[in-house]
Amino acid sequence: MKVLKFGGKSLSNGEGINKVISIIESKVNQGEEIAVVVSARGNATDELEAILGISAKNGDYKTPFESFKKEQNGEYKDIDLSAEFEVLDKLFEGVSLIGDYSNKIKDQILSQGELLSAKLLTFILIKKGIKANFTDSRALIKTDSKFGDAQPLEQVSKKNVIHYFKENSDTVNIITGFIGSNSNNDTTTLGRNGSNYTASLIANYLDAEELQNYTHVDGIYTANPELVPDAKKIDRLSFNEANEIANFGATILHAKTIIPLLEKNIPLRVLNTFNHENQGTLITSKSNKEGIKTLSVLENVSLVNLEGRGLLGKTGVDARIFRVMGDNDISVSIISQGSSERGIGLVVNADQATKAMIELEKEFENDFYSKDVNKISITDDVSVISIIGQDLSTFHKPYTALIKNKIVPILFNNTVTGKNVSLVVKKSQLHKALNVIHGEIFGVSKKINIAIFGHGLVGGTLINQILESAPAIEKRKDIKLNVFAIANSKNLLLNKNGVSPNWKNEIQTNGFSYTIDDVIAFANENHLENLIAIDNTASASFVENYVPLAEGSFDLISSNKVANTLSYKFYKDLRKVLAENQKNYLYETNVGAGLPLIDTIKLLHLSGENITKIKGVFSGTLSYLFNNFSAKDVPFSEILKEAIDNGYTEPDPREDLCGNDVGRKLLILARELDLQNEFEEINIQNLIPEHLREGNVADFLNKLKEFDPIYNKIKAEQEPNHVLRYIGELSGDLQNDKGNLEVKLVSVPSDTALGGLKGSDSFFEIYTESYGDRPIVIQGAGAGSAVTARGVFGDILRLSEKG
């Protein structure tokens, strides 16, 4: 025989009840011997409890009760449920008159949910031509008199069940879950998860072949799919693992449900009523593999803390705590203490926390006077995450990921076997914490949530690169890149599941004005983990957002040079905030676009290598100008106009020609070497004749020929076989606080590496003590939106693969 158990959602009106009937019909037609245990339909138990509460306050209970009756009848108008409704009506009326009720009355009321459910299902099956028998489990499961959480009396209950099934062996018995009766035949209920408990008891007493628990999900998952969208179904579990999951809050399972099955080694299969072709999760005495199985959650709990220096090394403290908890019937989920014993934390049900604190204060009254205990307090709004199967040897991975996401567990402990770890976190951080841990330990793609500010040439190219490459990166690296925010100076587009390739139109139609707090709040409200903010603007004001972003748990990436070239104080203060919040800031594209320049200098510097000089061509635009001017016999203005027409310069070319951009890039490299130079200290040779530096762009563009006499003269006065290059150079004693920073036009031999530069390439020479006069040379495309965007993309992947 197989025992089938159907939950409340499975038995709801419409698709639910129709699926249940179809499953039972199919099994009967296939000749399977089955018994069926049912919960109350839909939310019947909660509704009955709510109506009871209204009655006790002398409120209008009749209106919700009429709705309840209508819902329970559903579309089956010809079924007679008047007996159960009459019982309820009388009970509600009595409670309303008295203004109170006992647990005994409450059990009588709640039991009607299961009775109505079993009666309706039996009625429908009989109408379908299936021989079915309504079975009131109060006649079978005999219990003690602890109303609300009664314990079955095993011997008499087992005898009753075996006898009843012998008498009714040629029918499908539809059994009420959750309810029983005491020796006086008063109705009792079996407490939380009571219907599942009924099913496992019936399976045990009848030596069933299998218990099939039909729910609204496909089985047991690595985490609650409602909280963790990436959760995966587990195909097999052992009873021990299931028991651990049950102990730590899995709603489908409960420890008391597992034990009767374990005693007889009866497999439990968790199935989906709405997808019954799925094989579900099979729980047996054997598991198919070692390793982490699932994340379970305990909610509605509080943390009770005992603090005191006198707890250090004092024996018997734990025993006293447990005695107090036991005497007051307070269940402790977790107890944990530091090695110093100065602090002990207990996790208890939220509704028992105040009682626990009061009783502990009584127990430790003398210890307060002697100052051994100085404080007993409650921390509300916490949740417990248990990682079932987590070995302490690899626990550093999820723990580090939590810290990186600014989630600091309040308390953690592990079981004696060392195979399960539990963490207490703030309730507000539960959703995010679950996703962070799950992404770290279950081999699913690690989700990286990205906000991109600025979608001009570089930003727009980057967004498209990410959207095009994301599927391949997820397949290759198990990293899921999710662009959830795109913003320009005016509008913000948000989508927690990621923007579409049509983002340009969407930001125009769906974008809205914003502050940076809107982005941070959206990430928090949607529990987004592994956050990265990317600044692709050229804005001096946007860098003011870096601090709130870092404090809001965002790592930072920037192609915008401003933040690294403001005052040295701002530079250091930003890094202090980043360190305090354990956030990273990458900006490889600040100097060499897509070239690996900053990383190389960082690595050399961190390794202790003494860098003595850095020089090179820092501007792709100016590289193009002087490479072509040196190679061709044409006026400087003609080359400059060509560069302007091809879009190589800024809209106002003076921004390139003044040399400030090269100066900023040079300053960034200097600060990577811990030099404290300010921008004002850089000696910059401005390439623009003084009389052309002011005025509007149009006037300037009409006067380009005025460059020619100046630069023709400079070119003509060079030594033979020399070419012009506009370089940045960092020199001096770089072990001091400041170096010499120069930006200048120089003439170099054409047969040198610098002299042989072509096109618009950037070129850098890094001189070190170890390498002597043979510099490390980095050369390549140092400008262009595609190259810069690809460099930013590289920074994204670097951050994604960290920790």
Side-chain angles (χ1 to χ4, degrees):
M1 171 181 282
K2 290 179 181 174
V3 176
L4 280 56
K5 152 65 180 36
F6 292 100
K9 287 186 181 176
S10 298
L11 291 158
S12 297
N13 286 333
E15 185 189 7
I17 190 103
N18 292 332
K19 289 277 189 186
V20 170
I21 293 159
S22 170
I23 291 165
I24 294 170
E25 204 171 10
S26 171
K27 288 187 180 291
V28 170
N29 290 340
Q30 288 170 24
E32 288 190 46
E33 190 182 353
I34 59 170
V36 176
V37 177
V38 296
S39 296
R41 299 200 314 120
N43 296 314
T45 305
D46 291 341
E47 288 166 10
L48 288 169
E49 195 162 1
I51 298 166
L52 175 60
I54 294 167
S55 303
K57 291 175 183 172
N58 200 23
D60 172 23
Y61 69 86
K62 296 200 174 192
T63 303
F65 184 43
E66 284 305 315
S67 297
F68 174 82
K69 289 196 285 186
K70 190 176 176 184
E71 178 74 15
Q72 289 302 305
N73 266 313
E75 60 193 67
Y76 304 99
K77 305 302 178 194
D78 47 348
I79 184 171
D80 181 11
L81 300 174
S82 58
E84 288 73 24
F85 292 151
E86 199 173 312
V87 169
L88 285 169
D89 201 16
K90 283 180 181 174
L91 289 168
F92 287 140
E93 187 180 6
V95 169
S96 183
L97 288 169
I98 297 168
D100 199 3
Y101 58 87
S102 63
N103 283 336
K104 181 178 177 181
I105 294 294
K106 184 177 179 180
D107 275 3
Q108 281 183 265
I109 288 170
L110 297 187
S111 68
Q112 301 304 311
E114 273 67 21
L115 291 166
L116 288 163
S117 180
K119 202 167 183 182
L120 178 73
L121 184 59
T122 306
F123 171 81
I124 297 168
L125 290 170
I126 290 169
K127 272 190 81 171
K128 287 259 184 187
I130 293 168
K131 193 173 182 187
N133 177 43
F134 168 74
T135 304
D136 185 344
S137 59
R138 291 177 297 183
L140 306 180
I141 306 294
K142 305 305 283 184
T143 71
D144 61 18
S145 296
K146 189 179 180 186
F147 298 103
D149 192 18
Q151 296 303 307
L153 305 173
E154 189 170 335
Q155 284 187 324
V156 62
S157 298
K158 183 176 182 179
K159 185 179 173 185
N160 289 344
V161 169
I162 291 170
H163 176 73
Y164 183 86
F165 272 80
K166 268 186 186 171
E167 295 292 311
N168 298 277
S169 59
D170 60 343
T171 183
V172 177
N173 291 302
I174 309 298
I175 308 155
T176 56
F178 182 56
I179 63 176
S181 67
N182 64 10
S183 56
N184 296 325
N185 293 325
D186 297 321
T187 300
T188 57
T189 61
L190 305 184
R192 180 182 165 218
N193 235 261
S195 290
N196 287 339
Y197 191 22
T198 302
S200 69
L201 289 172
I202 299 287
N204 177 298
Y205 300 156
L206 297 175
D207 292 319
E209 177 190 335
E210 186 171 277
L211 169 57
Q212 297 183 349
N213 188 342
Y214 284 86
T215 67
H216 62 289
V217 292
D218 283 343
I220 310 282
Y221 279 74
T222 50
N224 183 341
E226 291 172 11
L227 296 176
V228 182
D230 292 330
K232 308 294 180 195
K233 184 172 74 72
I234 303 167
D235 292 328
R236 287 183 76 102
L237 279 172
S238 70
F239 281 121
N240 286 339
E241 288 159 346
N243 203 34
E244 291 287 355
I245 293 168
N247 281 330
F248 289 109
T251 51
I252 292 175
L253 301 169
H254 193 280
K256 66 185 181 186
T257 306
I258 301 294
I259 292 164
L261 303 175
L262 185 56
E263 282 176 5
K264 295 279 187 79
N265 200 13
I266 298 167
L268 167 62
R269 194 180 291 276
V270 180
L271 294 157
N272 187 349
T273 302
F274 302 92
N275 182 19
H276 62 271
E277 299 303 317
N278 189 289
Q279 291 298 299
T281 298
L282 181 64
I283 303 169
T284 63
S285 55
K286 288 184 181 179
S287 173
N288 64 340
K289 60 179 179 181
E290 286 290 311
I292 296 162
K293 293 297 176 190
T294 189
L295 302 179
S296 283
V297 174
L298 279 177
E299 295 190 79
N300 302 315
V301 293
S302 294
L303 181 63
V304 180
N305 298 292
L306 284 83
E307 296 172 36
R309 290 177 177 271
L311 297 175
L312 174 61
K314 198 164 188 176
T315 57
V317 172
D318 287 356
R320 291 169 67 189
I321 290 169
F322 278 115
R323 186 175 68 248
V324 169
M325 298 297 109
D327 289 349
N328 289 279
D329 204 19
I330 297 169
S331 175
V332 177
S333 308
I334 293 173
I335 182 166
S336 184
Q337 64 185 58
S339 56
S340 67
E341 293 192 36
R342 287 186 183 177
I344 296 175
L346 314 169
V347 176
V348 300
N349 289 338
D351 57 2
Q352 294 183 305
T354 303
K355 186 178 182 185
M357 182 176 77
I358 291 166
E359 296 302 327
L360 286 169
E361 283 173 343
K362 289 180 192 172
E363 171 65 29
F364 287 93
E365 186 176 2
N366 292 333
D367 301 85
F368 274 103
Y369 291 123
S370 64
K371 310 284 188 191
D372 286 344
V373 174
N374 56 30
K375 189 178 179 186
I376 299 177
S377 60
I378 296 171
T379 305
D380 290 317
D381 298 320
V382 297
S383 299
V384 179
I385 301 172
S386 295
I387 314 174
I388 310 302
Q390 171 69 66
D391 194 307
L392 271 181
S393 64
T394 55
F395 177 60
H396 64 281
K397 291 178 182 175
Y399 188 79
T400 302
L402 286 172
I403 300 301
K404 184 177 182 295
N405 280 277
K406 293 193 76 175
I407 300 165
V408 181
I410 301 166
L411 174 150
F412 82 90
N413 82 337
N414 68 301
T415 55
V416 176
T417 62
K419 292 294 183 186
N420 304 311
V421 174
S422 294
L423 306 166
V424 178
V425 299
K426 292 176 186 172
K427 192 170 185 177
S428 60
Q429 295 181 317
L430 170 65
H431 198 142
K432 185 174 179 180
L434 276 170
N435 281 276
V436 168
I437 295 170
H438 192 273
E440 197 63 40
I441 64 180
F442 279 108
V444 296
S445 296
K446 180 180 179 182
K447 196 171 188 182
I448 308 296
N449 289 291
I450 302 166
I452 296 177
F453 300 91
H455 57 80
L457 276 175
V458 173
T461 304
L462 174 67
I463 293 164
N464 292 332
Q465 284 178 352
I466 293 172
L467 296 180
E468 287 164 16
S469 305
I473 288 169
E474 183 171 7
K475 191 174 179 182
R476 195 170 69 247
K477 291 183 170 287
D478 272 346
I479 292 170
K480 186 174 185 177
L481 301 178
N482 182 55
V483 180
F484 76 91
I486 298 175
N488 52 37
S489 58
K490 295 176 181 173
N491 289 324
L492 170 68
L493 176 68
L494 293 169
N495 186 332
K496 68 176 182 178
N497 298 316
V499 299
S500 77
N502 192 32
W503 60 268
K504 276 187 183 173
N505 290 330
E506 287 172 7
I507 198 167
Q508 287 182 331
T509 54
N510 302 331
F512 57 92
S513 61
Y514 71 102
T515 67
I516 206 68
D517 291 338
D518 295 323
V519 180
I520 295 167
F522 182 84
N524 287 335
E525 286 159 14
N526 290 283
H527 315 288
L528 302 181
E529 74 273 26
N530 302 319
L531 297 163
I532 299 177
I534 300 173
D535 177 9
N536 286 319
T537 72
S539 165
S541 59
F542 186 81
V543 300
E544 294 167 10
N545 296 318
Y546 285 16
V547 167
L549 282 166
E551 289 173 344
S553 200
F554 282 80
D555 286 310
L556 306 176
I557 294 173
S558 177
S559 62
N560 181 357
K561 293 182 276 292
V562 173
N564 286 324
T565 57
L566 292 174
S567 70
Y568 187 70
K569 181 182 183 304
F570 176 87
Y571 182 88
K572 294 303 285 183
D573 287 349
L574 174 58
R575 277 148 183 80
K576 186 182 176 197
V577 170
L578 290 163
E580 285 169 354
N581 290 278
Q582 298 189 315
K583 295 290 109 186
N584 297 285
Y585 174 31
L586 300 187
Y587 40 88
E588 183 61 74
T589 57
N590 273 196
V591 180
L595 297 176
L597 176 65
I598 291 175
D599 255 9
T600 304
I601 289 170
K602 272 184 177 173
L603 191 61
L604 288 167
H605 186 56
L606 286 171
S607 70
E609 181 63 71
N610 183 14
I611 295 175
T612 56
K613 183 166 71 173
I614 299 172
K615 76 171 185 178
V617 174
F618 286 66
S619 164
T621 303
L622 298 177
S623 177
Y624 177 87
L625 274 177
F626 287 104
N627 292 347
N628 281 282
F629 179 57
S630 296
K632 297 176 183 178
D633 191 18
V634 292
F636 185 79
S637 60
E638 198 173 305
I639 304 289
L640 180 53
K641 188 171 187 312
E642 194 179 288
I644 294 166
D645 292 344
N646 288 332
Y648 296 158
T649 67
E650 294 294 331
D652 185 346
R654 288 174 293 186
E655 290 181 31
D656 297 295
L657 295 165
C658 71
N660 286 349
D661 187 56
V662 175
R664 280 190 283 269
K665 291 176 178 178
L666 191 61
L667 180 61
I668 291 167
L669 297 189
R671 288 179 171 176
E672 287 302 317
L673 303 181
D674 299 322
L675 298 173
Q676 299 176 21
N677 290 81
E678 300 287 359
F679 182 76
E680 296 75 21
E681 296 168 346
I682 308 170
N683 186 6
I684 299 174
Q685 180 182 346
N686 192 325
L687 296 171
I688 310 164
E690 205 159 323
H691 67 285
L692 296 179
R693 292 176 190 174
E694 303 298 327
N696 62 43
V697 181
D699 284 348
F700 172 76
L701 294 175
N702 287 329
K703 297 176 181 176
L704 296 184
K705 288 188 182 299
E706 295 180 31
F707 277 85
D708 293 340
I710 300 166
Y711 287 96
N712 287 344
K713 184 171 181 289
I714 293 170
K715 183 177 178 181
E717 287 176 353
Q718 292 184 98
E719 293 179 27
N721 301 315
H722 274 56
V723 290
L724 295 172
R725 299 290 182 260
Y726 190 69
I727 67 163
E729 185 172 330
L730 170 62
S731 60
D733 186 351
L734 304 188
Q735 300 305 302
N736 290 332
D737 287 346
K738 295 192 177 184
N740 300 323
L741 282 70
E742 291 180 281
V743 177
K744 57 194 177 183
L745 185 64
V746 296
S747 177
V748 298
S750 57
D751 59 357
T752 59
L754 181 56
L757 209 54
K758 298 279 191 297
S760 59
D761 276 6
S762 292
F763 175 90
F764 306 96
E765 292 179 329
I766 305 166
Y767 292 84
T768 72
E769 211 168 65
S770 300
Y771 286 81
D773 60 357
R774 295 178 64 82
I776 298 166
V777 175
I778 297 173
Q779 178 181 344
S785 56
V787 172
T788 305
R790 193 58 70 183
V792 174
F793 205 158
D795 279 347
I796 294 171
L797 294 177
R798 270 189 208 93
L799 275 184
S800 302
E801 290 179 325
K802 277 194 173 189

